[in-house]
Every structure is written in structure tokens, then in C-alpha cells.
Amino acid sequence: MGLFTRKLKKTPPVERPVPRHIAVIMDGNGRWAKKRGLPRKAGHKVGAETFRTIATYCKDIGVKYFTVYAFSTENWKRPAEEVDALMNLFRTYLKEAAESMAARGVAVRVLGDLSPLPADIRAQIAQVEQIADGLGPDAATASLCINYGGRDEIKNAVRRIAEEVRSGTLSPEDITEETITARLYTAHMPDPDLIIRPSGEVRTSNFLLWQSAYAEYYFTDVLWPDFKTSDMDAAIDVFNRRNRRFGGV
């Protein structure tokens, strides 16, 4: 009895701090496919599955918002075959992914100028938004930026503000940074704390230009389809070691 039969209390695991909002420039799908002698659309398909895996993992470790660059305003310039393959991927993937991720407590949202997208894809996005709404405001959010460009987003916000000034509902002297932020696609979420770019490229590529003013960047040579949960852990560990002073001493 006594010493040898007493149960020792387990020390609870120490929770690692995680960013509230992580964004990713999903890059390297085409190169991943080329290395394997596959068509580029194969890389995009695997990249879509990687999105699902990493978005769900982020939710599980406590990340509230996860945002990815899925299709930029510049991507329309790619070969028609690749653009068609991406549109077909959205057709077959969006709603199914939203339903399966909702079962894990992740609300899928779509951000960007959706007007140029085919009507059937826009209809599917509306269904995706309904699924997300059903989870409520406290659910973790995974956002896909489709037909998105940072400059285009700011341009559209400025146009809205100009229209409000012209109509008399807004005075020029009342325009603040918050005025612009409230008219961006990301108005419902905080700015990203950490932006990750896989594939070895080291540039922002017109992604979340306004929102990234104080974001930390993490670059890695890993191609997006090869990006694992361990790669996300490595990025978060680097983030946690940085001293974020926001202009202070």
C-alpha cells in the first residue's frame, strides 16, 4: 500500500501558443506534378487535399482562421486547359470539402471577386456559405481566396467608399483605416498573424496586401502538395520565437 500503490498525478501537456490567423500562398502544385511526370491538374488536385488536411489540423490545434490563396486574378492568364482544370476542381471539390470539413467543425468560406466565375460555381459557393452559416460564428474558419488580388480588393473597397461619399452617406473626413478594412473581403476576420509561402518563392504575390501590414512571413522550399502538419508546426515554432513589437521598442 502507501508509497508503492499511490497513483501519480499526470502533468497536463503544456499548450503551445498558436497564431489566431494563418494564411498560406498555396504554391508549387505545378512543379510538384512536373517532377513526377504528371499533368499540372494532378498537382492542383493533391494541393486541394493538402488544403483540407492542413485546415483541419489548424482547427484542431486552436487556430481560429486559416486563409489560402487558391486562384488569383492573374491566374486567368494561364493556359486555358489549366484554368478549365481548376474550375472543374472547384466544381467537384468545393461543396464536398465544405460538408466534410463542417463535420469536423470547420466553416469553409470563399473570398474574392466572384462575379467572373461560371454561374454553376457561384451557385455552389452560395451553398458552401450556407453550410458555413449553419456552424455559427464561433466555428473555426477556412477561407479560399478565389479570383482574388490584393490590389483589386483595395480598388473595390475604394470604389465603394467613393460611392458612399457621392451619395452623401459618408464624409471624406470620416474615412479612416477602419473604413477601408470594413469594406475588404476579410472584414469579418482579424488580420493574419502569420503568412506562409511554400515552394521556395520569396514574394507576396499580391496576397492580402492591406491585411499583412504587421504579419510575420515564413518561407519554405517545400512544395504545397508535400506540405505536412509537421511543416505547419515548424512555421508556428518560428513564429513563436519572433519578437513582435509592432513599431515599439
Side-chain angles (χ1 to χ4, degrees), residues 103-151:
R104 297 285 301 274
V106 181
V108 175
R109 301 278 184 187
V110 180
L111 310 179
D113 178 7
L114 307 181
S115 58
L117 298 176
D120 63 315
I121 294 179
R122 284 187 277 115
Q124 191 171 147
I125 289 172
Q127 293 179 312
V128 167
E129 293 291 334
Q130 287 181 343
I131 294 171
D133 289 342
L135 291 177
D138 295 329
T141 300
S143 299
L144 286 158
C145 292
I146 299 178
N147 194 39
Y148 174 90
R151 289 181 174 179

Side-chain angles (χ1 to χ4, degrees), residues 23-25 67-76 87 90 110-117 143-156 183-187 189 191-192 195 204-212:
V24 175
I25 300 171
T67 304
V68 299
Y69 209 179
F71 188 87
S72 76
T73 51
E74 291 81 16
N75 285 158
W76 295 107
M87 292 299 120
F90 294 145
V110 180
L111 310 179
D113 178 7
L114 307 181
S115 58
L117 298 176
S143 299
L144 286 158
C145 292
I146 299 178
N147 194 39
Y148 174 90
R151 289 181 174 179
D152 189 65
E153 178 183 32
I154 295 170
K155 176 203 71 180
N156 291 338
R183 287 154 181 80
L184 300 176
Y185 301 130
T186 56
M189 65 176 75
D191 290 343
I195 298 179
T204 62
S205 290
N206 199 21
F207 184 50
L208 300 178
L209 296 182
W210 178 273
Q211 300 89 333
S212 64

Side-chain angles (χ1 to χ4, degrees), residues 151-172:
R151 289 181 174 179
D152 189 65
E153 178 183 32
I154 295 170
K155 176 203 71 180
N156 291 338
V158 171
R159 281 182 174 174
R160 288 181 59 188
I161 292 169
E163 290 170 359
E164 292 174 42
V165 170
R166 181 170 60 184
S167 68
T169 59
L170 180 66
S171 299

Side-chain angles (χ1 to χ4, degrees), residues 16 194 196 218 227-241:
R16 177 185 54 170
L194 172 64
I196 300 170
Y218 177 83
F227 198 90
K228 303 291 191 294
T229 57
S230 57
D231 297 304
M232 178 58 72
D233 288 338
I236 292 173
D237 287 343
V238 170
F239 173 85
N240 284 334
R241 291 197 297 269

Side-chain angles (χ1 to χ4, degrees), residues 213-233:
Y214 288 101
E216 298 290 331
Y217 276 85
Y218 177 83
F219 300 98
T220 174
D221 291 334
V222 177
L223 301 176
W224 176 247
D226 288 329
F227 198 90
K228 303 291 191 294
T229 57
S230 57
D231 297 304
M232 178 58 72
D233 288 338

